[in-house]
Amino acid sequence: MSQHFKETPHNAIVDSHIARVIPCKQLAMSDPFKWLVLGLRDIQRAPILTVFFGVFFTAIPWFITYLVQLTGWYLVIMPAIICFMLIGPFLAAGLYDVSWELEKKHVPSLWHSMKAIKRNAVNHWGLGILLMVLMIFWLRIASVIHALYPTYLDPNWANLMPFLAVGTVVGAGFTLLVFFISAFTQPILMERKVDLATAVLTSMNAVWTNKAPMLLWAFIILMAVLIGFATWFIGFVFLMPLIGYATWHGYIDTIETKRERHFE
């Protein structure tokens, strides 16, 4: 289980003095599985809200698939998947609020979850813009990869595979970058009235200081996304709320300093 460091680790993030970095705890490899167990408990305690948000996350890839079928541009699949993963942390604010309300022994509600973005609105939207810029940058890279595809080739798997492979590698790099800067950024902004730089650097420091457990957590998230796509997105009804709830508990378990509780 997580525990306090005997000595606060120093690295380039902490010593950058760009913004305040909230200290983190030392995580164990078993902690991500503990977060999942706590997330399952939240699903049992708030099943209706879980289904609502799960359907919402399922509708997004269904809409992407519809666009692909409508336009016939099959090479948009990989960029769309990465975009979905990029904006996931921003869209999960409502799920974090449900777990926070349950933690405070309140009855969570959809209205309260929808208002979650207003707690630190300027910096929340700053995070959204940051993720959007990264998404647009990735789409530009994807467009370059698409431009290299010879138009005279038939769009079959044999011809598409090299380009999908390149897109996967580049997309994985962008996804790791987004995970690095946003693993706990959104929960920090929700619970604390801090600036975006503080939240981002705190998240980066937590991931960098706990590389192995956080890479395991990233792998769990990746598996959840892959299972969701393998089940024609039906799995997202359950998996996306589970990851959202577990991320909140991961934040509570990872950030070291005392947190203020706002009982609204």
Side-chain angles (χ1 to χ4, degrees):
M1 59 182 297
S2 63
Q3 58 184 348
H4 292 274
F5 284 103
K6 293 181 180 179
E7 294 183 5
T8 302
H10 285 271
N11 52 51
I13 300 171
V14 175
D15 298 334
S16 66
H17 302 298
I18 297 174
R20 180 168 67 98
V21 177
I22 304 170
C24 66
K25 297 177 184 177
Q26 184 177 18
L27 298 176
M29 290 299 294
S30 60
D31 284 335
F33 299 105
K34 179 181 67 176
W35 305 340
L36 289 175
V37 171
L38 293 172
L40 283 171
R41 186 187 64 180
D42 288 349
I43 289 176
Q44 295 173 346
R45 298 169 67 188
I48 296 178
L49 285 175
T50 296
V51 171
F52 174 84
F53 284 108
V55 169
F56 179 76
F57 275 99
T58 300
I60 295 176
W62 271 346
F63 180 69
I64 292 173
T65 302
Y66 171 75
L67 287 180
V68 171
Q69 294 175 343
L70 185 66
T71 62
W73 187 36
Y74 292 94
L75 290 179
V76 79
I77 295 175
M78 188 55 62
I81 292 174
I82 302 303
C83 289
F84 177 60
M85 296 179 72
L86 285 175
I87 63 177
F90 186 67
L91 297 177
L95 294 171
Y96 302 149
D97 181 77
V98 172
S99 285
W100 191 13
E101 285 294 280
L102 290 172
E103 184 186 353
K104 294 185 291 187
K105 303 188 184 305
H106 291 178
V107 177
S109 67
L110 179 60
W111 176 244
H112 195 277
S113 295
M114 299 300 289
K115 293 193 302 179
I117 199 68
K118 296 181 180 180
R119 293 197 183 100
N120 198 347
V122 172
N123 290 292
H124 273 302
W125 288 111
L127 174 62
I129 293 172
L130 174 61
L131 295 177
M132 188 65 68
V133 169
L134 290 173
M135 182 180 71
I136 293 172
F137 186 45
W138 158 243
L139 287 175
R140 293 297 89 200
I141 297 297
S143 296
V144 173
I145 296 174
H146 176 259
L148 296 176
Y149 179 77
T151 57
Y152 57 84
L153 293 178
D154 294 330
N156 53 50
W157 278 111
N159 292 329
L160 289 175
M161 189 57 65
F163 298 92
L164 292 176
V166 172
T168 299
V169 172
V170 178
F174 275 99
T175 302
L176 284 175
L177 172 63
V178 170
F179 178 78
F180 183 50
I181 67 176
S182 66
F184 298 124
T185 301
Q186 186 82 350
I188 293 171
L189 290 174
M190 282 187 59
E191 192 192 30
R192 302 164 178 267
K193 295 196 174 188
V194 298
D195 58 273
L196 180 59
T198 294
V200 169
L201 289 180
T202 298
S203 178
M204 292 172 62
N205 179 59
V207 174
W208 184 257
T209 305
N210 296 282
K211 300 179 187 65
M214 292 306 296
L215 280 176
L216 173 60
W217 179 235
F219 178 76
I220 291 173
I221 295 174
L222 174 61
M223 288 299 100
V225 172
L226 292 179
I227 292 172
F229 277 90
T231 57
W232 198 240
F233 316 126
I234 297 298
F236 285 146
V237 174
F238 169 79
L239 291 172
M240 295 309 291
L242 174 62
I243 293 299
Y245 297 150
T247 297
W248 174 263
H249 291 290
Y251 158 65
I252 293 299
D253 198 30
T254 304
I255 303 304
E256 181 179 272
T257 54
K258 183 178 180 181
R259 291 165 295 277
E260 295 181 359
R261 300 299 182 198
H262 302 288
F263 298 87
E264 300 179 10

